[in-house]
Amino acid sequence: MADKHARLTIDGKDFDLPILSPTDGPDVLDIRKLYGQVGVFTYDPGFTSTAACDSTITFIDGDKGELLHRGYPIDQLAAKSHYLEVCYLLFYGNLPTAAELEQFESLVTRHTMIHEQMHYFFRGFRRDSHPMATMVGVVGAMSAFYHDSLDINDLHQREVASIRLIAKMPTIAAMAYKYSIGQPFVYPRNDLDYAANFLHMCFSVPAEPYNVDPILARAMDRIFTLHADHEQNASTSTVRLASSSGANPFACIAAGIACLWGPAHGGANQACLEMLREIGTVDRIPEYIARAKDKNDPFRLMGFGHRVYKNFDPRAKVMKQSADEVLDLMGIENNPTLQVAKELERIALEDPYFIEKKLYPNVDFYSGIILDAMGFPTSMFTPIFALARTVGWVSQWKEQLSDPQLKIGRPRQLYLGDTRRDYVEIENR
Ligand code: SDX
């Protein structure tokens, strides 16, 4: 029961709107009965002021640049935890005991292989397909194979589907990469941890042994952790909306992958590195800053800005440290792309336009530099984001299915089209 209320007055009539208070963040105006009582819709394209659900998973404070997963700050998790432990935290709600973690890691490890017949899906794609196209297709097709984890009303099947998705996404992403470069698929190995296994599946070849560098594995694991979940972003909201119709988990996650692909969202890491390469040298930065400020130029500085963060994205800070570590390890600390990135960041953060609009580097600004240094092509940047975000998607999907007030998401509109008119036969037009 709300103890705070707002008063809405329309045409001289007063309406009471309950105000609901969170454990952290802004209050919300409860408008669930608005249309029924008042006969008006609210209007919020892009959902800049709309809370579409309640959640206990992730909290973001855009002004403070704070990101909490089940209350734990992302910088502490990135420094002290590892991806599968963060997966456990997001999915089950608390940090695991040693025994719980061991059991969870063993469960994920033993679900990393995909059904052997799914290999044929890859062969239906052109070799030069974008790996995100392959991932949308293959993940959606998991609903054609894993019939024993499609029933969303069965709690056990929800968990099996979630574990399968967390476990198999690295295998599918690595297979999409191998297929695109004409190399044979590499099976997962149960003796490697999650991040090392992914690097092994991407970079090993049957012709010779491949030893995963522990520093690169740690950097890979940290990138996964930094991308694990992020409140009600566009792709997570897509997963929730798809799930609200009762669609199966694999179809919902395929929808999330499709949404993440866009350059304004998860596709920004690829677009950012390609932009840094296009800028090429530090002396060309002012030209691009000017374009980003030009209202008549659609160009935007990829990797900058965020709907929520009006301060530094806390993930970008950790990512920047990782970039220095990886490039130092690879002996390319004077990497020209990193030099352009650091100078672009410095100039942009001093520019009145970026200061006024509170445009800071986001999670995608440095991730591409690390992935490029690790040997990934830019086309693999967003598949890696999708791989890492899968745990966030399935955790939010599970939370929504457990919500007793769940109903199908069905927004309305502000109609600006033609009013009723009668059909005109073609001879009279
Ligand atoms: C991710 O939501 C999430 O949490 C997403 C994410 C996650 O983990 O799931 O954090 C991952 O998607 C990060 C964002 C990656 N995208 C990019 O780096 C692409 C470049 N950024 C922009 O496209 C933009 O900043 C968005 C899409 C990220 C946010 O856009 P908003 O919130 O809709 O803000 P806006 O477009 O209304 O911009 C506000 C103003 C505008 O100027 P005015 O119209 O007010 O004059 O800032 C300007 C914009 O033109 N602006 C930029 C800019 N971003 C915004 N100008 C130049 N360069 C930019 N990058």
Side-chain angles (χ1 to χ4, degrees), residues 190-369:
N190 292 354
D191 62 319
L192 296 176
D193 68 35
Y194 193 87
N197 207 2
F198 177 64
L199 292 174
H200 183 263
M201 289 189 285
C202 288
F203 296 127
S204 75
V205 289
E208 60 187 25
Y210 174 82
N211 296 315
V212 180
D213 185 303
I215 294 179
L216 294 187
R218 178 70 188 135
M220 188 81 263
D221 187 275
R222 189 177 295 154
I223 286 179
F224 291 161
T225 295
L226 293 173
H227 288 82
D229 188 52
H230 211 240
E231 200 215 62
Q232 304 311 318
N233 59 84
S235 53
T236 298
S237 299
T238 300
V239 170
R240 280 180 172 260
L241 194 57
S243 170
S244 73
S245 75
N248 76 68
F250 306 112
C252 294
I253 300 308
I257 296 172
C259 176
L260 186 78
W261 195 357
H265 190 14
N269 49 21
Q270 173 174 350
C272 180
L273 193 87
E274 288 165 355
M275 174 194 74
L276 293 172
R277 282 183 174 152
E278 183 187 329
I279 294 173
T281 53
V282 166
D283 61 326
R284 293 191 64 203
I285 290 175
E287 170 196 338
Y288 284 84
I289 296 262
R291 283 188 57 196
K293 290 154 58 172
D294 178 356
K295 281 286 154 241
N296 301 316
D297 188 332
F299 173 79
R300 287 193 168 180
L301 281 184
M302 305 314 281
F304 271 82
H306 198 279
R307 171 60 59 78
V308 177
Y309 290 123
K310 302 312 173 188
N311 194 327
F312 249 93
D313 181 334
R315 301 168 296 175
K317 286 183 181 174
V318 180
M319 205 71 84
K320 185 173 180 178
Q321 294 162 7
S322 266
D324 288 334
E325 285 169 17
V326 169
L327 292 170
D328 185 48
L329 171 84
M330 308 296 280
I332 43 180
E333 60 277 9
N334 59 356
N335 171 305
T337 307
L338 180 65
Q339 301 319 319
V340 169
K342 288 188 171 180
E343 183 61 6
L344 174 61
E345 179 187 11
R346 186 190 66 77
I347 295 174
L349 294 182
E350 291 172 357
D351 186 291
Y353 175 88
F354 290 85
I355 293 169
E356 178 215 328
K357 295 191 185 295
K358 298 183 179 180
L359 301 175
Y360 290 87
N362 58 44
V363 68
D364 295 303
F365 186 67
Y366 282 105
S367 57
I369 291 163

Side-chain angles (χ1 to χ4, degrees), residues 75-94:
D75 52 314
Q76 291 184 25
L77 293 172
K80 298 176 179 179
S81 184
H82 63 276
Y83 181 68
L84 280 189
E85 183 176 74
V86 172
C87 286
Y88 186 99
L89 173 66
L90 289 169
F91 193 69
Y92 294 107
N94 287 297

Side-chain angles (χ1 to χ4, degrees), residues 28 50 53 80 97 119 121 145 156 169 176 191 200 202 250 281 327 352 374 385 400:
V28 301
T50 294
C53 63
K80 298 176 179 179
T97 61
H119 289 205
F121 280 126
F145 275 86
H156 177 65
M169 286 296 266
D191 62 319
H200 183 263
C202 288
F250 306 112
T281 53
L327 292 170
M374 293 171 121
F385 192 150
Q400 177 172 276

